[in-house]
Amino acid sequence: MLEYLESLPLADHHCHGVLGRDLDRADFEALLTEAEGTGPPGVGMFDTQVGFALRRWCPPVLDLDAHAEPDAYLARRAELGAAEVNRRFLDAAGLEALCVDTGYTPESILDPLELGRLAGARAHEIVRLESVAEQVAADGVDAARFADEVRARVQGHGAVGAKSIAAYRAGLELSGERPSPAEVTGAAGRLMRADAPRVSDEVLHRFLVWCAVDAGLPVQFHVGLGDVDADLRRGDPLLLIELLRAMDPVPAMLLHNYPFHRNAGYLAQVLPNVYVDAGLATHNLGHRSPALIAELLELAPFGKVLYSSDAFGLAELFHLGALLFRRGLAGFLAGGVDDGAWTARDAERVAGLVASGNARRVYGI
């Protein structure tokens, strides 16, 4: 089963760009965590699940033995240079398509076209809704014209999907009702009066989702774990159920989901327009990622589970996400064959759906 999954190219339906510059150890370790820093002295990110997974699976791509020591690994990385490292890891991921969220750029990163070139895959863009609204506000658009301008930019963006980061700003308990024009205008006025426009109003988050729905775009929602800005208490996808119902039949794509992945699987079963993945968590859990994948698949229909890496910054995370996902899914499917839960033919068909078939169908790519 693993050999079969390794032969299948993946559609990474949610990822980000990678850095095109060389990194020192501090910069490298900072990209292995969702924290703002790498921790107090003596607490390094190589001594984590993702750190050990990286040492196990990434050194051979750079012509080193598995489990290479961190200093040796980073020295080899520096010797090859960022361009060659990025090329090797993106190629090793075995991708056929990438859907790239271009809304998070704390510094210059490779754009979708360059990512696609390095990966030998088709690259598509995911438009981050809050970034569109904040740019409209920064451009000085009148509050009365705000709604029309945002709608026009979302519809004209050329993206295959949209993303909401309401979980970071207002939490996921969003009403299913469309906000009224007066509510949107009032919220837009408050946004524009801010020193630095930052969407954090529940009304605007709902409005942005409806802009994407009206444009017919699948809407990705950040769910569960993320960096320190995310309030995990308000990141449970069950809080979204009213809006998810109201959005139907436009697809709602629940991203990451850990530690709420079982809740997300439930929603994927009971609501016709909900899809799920385990991106970001897969490489962060490292050796434990097969348990995560199996739990996600307890209730979620196999036709509603997609692959994503949520890789950002380090090209290694594209490789790790793909490798660990293939291994976890292969183990789950092979175990079912061994137990007589399904046939080998069934397992291969499901593998094809999750690897890329579901993403191609939902995004039309």
Side-chain angles (χ1 to χ4, degrees):
M1 195 68 239
L2 179 57
E3 183 178 354
Y4 181 74
L5 263 161
E6 288 175 340
S7 75
L8 296 179
L10 299 175
D12 189 340
H13 92 109
H14 181 75
C15 59
H16 304 265
V18 299
L19 296 175
R21 62 177 176 86
D22 294 328
L23 302 169
D24 62 22
R25 180 163 182 158
D27 287 341
F28 186 88
E29 290 197 53
L31 291 167
L32 290 177
T33 175
E34 294 300 304
E36 289 184 340
T38 55
V43 180
M45 289 311 299
F46 280 101
D47 286 335
T48 61
Q49 288 280 13
V50 65
F52 278 107
L54 186 145
R55 289 181 55 205
R56 167 64 181 88
W57 298 110
C58 291
V61 179
L62 304 185
D63 308 314
L64 297 173
D65 291 335
H67 305 294
E69 292 295 328
D71 287 344
Y73 180 83
L74 293 171
R76 175 59 175 165
R77 201 180 193 279
E79 178 186 3
L80 289 171
E84 176 63 10
V85 168
N86 290 342
R87 184 195 67 78
R88 290 192 185 197
F89 281 116
L90 282 160
D91 179 65
L95 304 174
E96 71 172 20
L98 306 97
C99 296
V100 186
D101 173 5
T102 56
Y104 180 58
T105 53
E107 65 172 284
S108 179
I109 55 178
L110 301 188
D111 63 25
L113 287 179
E114 184 65 8
L115 279 180
R117 185 186 69 80
L118 293 174
R122 300 185 309 278
H124 310 275
E125 189 169 350
I126 300 295
V127 58
R128 184 175 289 204
L129 295 167
E130 289 79 7
S131 296
V132 174
E134 288 161 3
Q135 187 59 56
V136 169
D139 289 345
V141 175
D142 183 277
R145 294 176 46 239
F146 174 85
D148 288 341
E149 182 64 22
V150 170
R151 289 191 192 98
R153 294 193 190 188
V154 171
Q155 291 175 355
H157 201 280
V160 298
K163 182 187 178 185
S164 167
I165 57 167
Y168 276 93
R169 307 287 185 78
L172 292 179
E173 195 166 4
L174 303 178
S175 166
E177 295 183 4
R178 288 175 179 264
S180 70
E183 287 177 312
V184 175
T185 299
R190 293 189 293 274
L191 177 68
M192 292 172 181
R193 288 192 294 272
D195 292 336
R198 176 181 166 90
V199 173
S200 57
D201 190 308
E202 191 268 354
V203 168
L204 288 182
H205 286 296
R206 271 192 293 134
F207 164 71
L208 291 168
V209 170
W210 283 110
C211 287
V213 169
D214 291 342
L217 296 174
V219 184
Q220 300 180 347
F221 290 91
H222 177 100
V223 173
L225 86 163
D227 64 37
V228 72
D229 285 346
D231 185 345
L232 200 60
R233 297 168 301 177
R234 300 190 295 169
D236 188 331
L238 295 179
L239 297 172
L240 265 178
I241 194 163
E242 288 186 20
L243 183 56
L244 297 175
R245 284 190 176 119
M247 288 173 56
D248 187 44
V250 171
M253 321 301 290
L254 304 184
L255 306 174
H256 322 319
N257 295 306
Y258 183 86
F260 306 115
H261 48 285
R262 280 175 155 152
N263 294 0
Y266 160 76
L267 291 170
Q269 184 183 87
V270 300
L271 297 180
N273 61 323
V274 173
Y275 297 78
V276 295
D277 72 34
L280 179 60
T282 304
H283 60 257
N284 270 285
L285 269 63
H287 180 64
R288 285 288 296 165
S289 58
L292 164 72
I293 293 166
E295 289 172 357
L296 180 70
L297 292 168
E298 287 171 348
L299 282 180
F302 299 152
K304 301 176 92 180
V305 178
L306 289 79
Y307 168 69
S308 85
S309 65
D310 193 39
F312 171 80
L314 296 178
E316 282 92 338
L317 301 182
F318 280 93
H319 174 56
L320 271 183
L323 184 147
L324 292 171
F325 187 80
R326 284 187 173 100
R327 293 181 65 84
L329 182 59
F332 173 82
L333 293 173
V337 173
D338 291 344
D339 289 343
W342 41 71
T343 67
R345 184 176 179 181
D346 289 330
E348 291 184 354
R349 181 173 55 81
V350 167
L353 290 174
V354 177
S356 64
N358 294 334
R360 290 198 306 270
R361 184 181 72 251
V362 175
Y363 291 100
I365 57 176

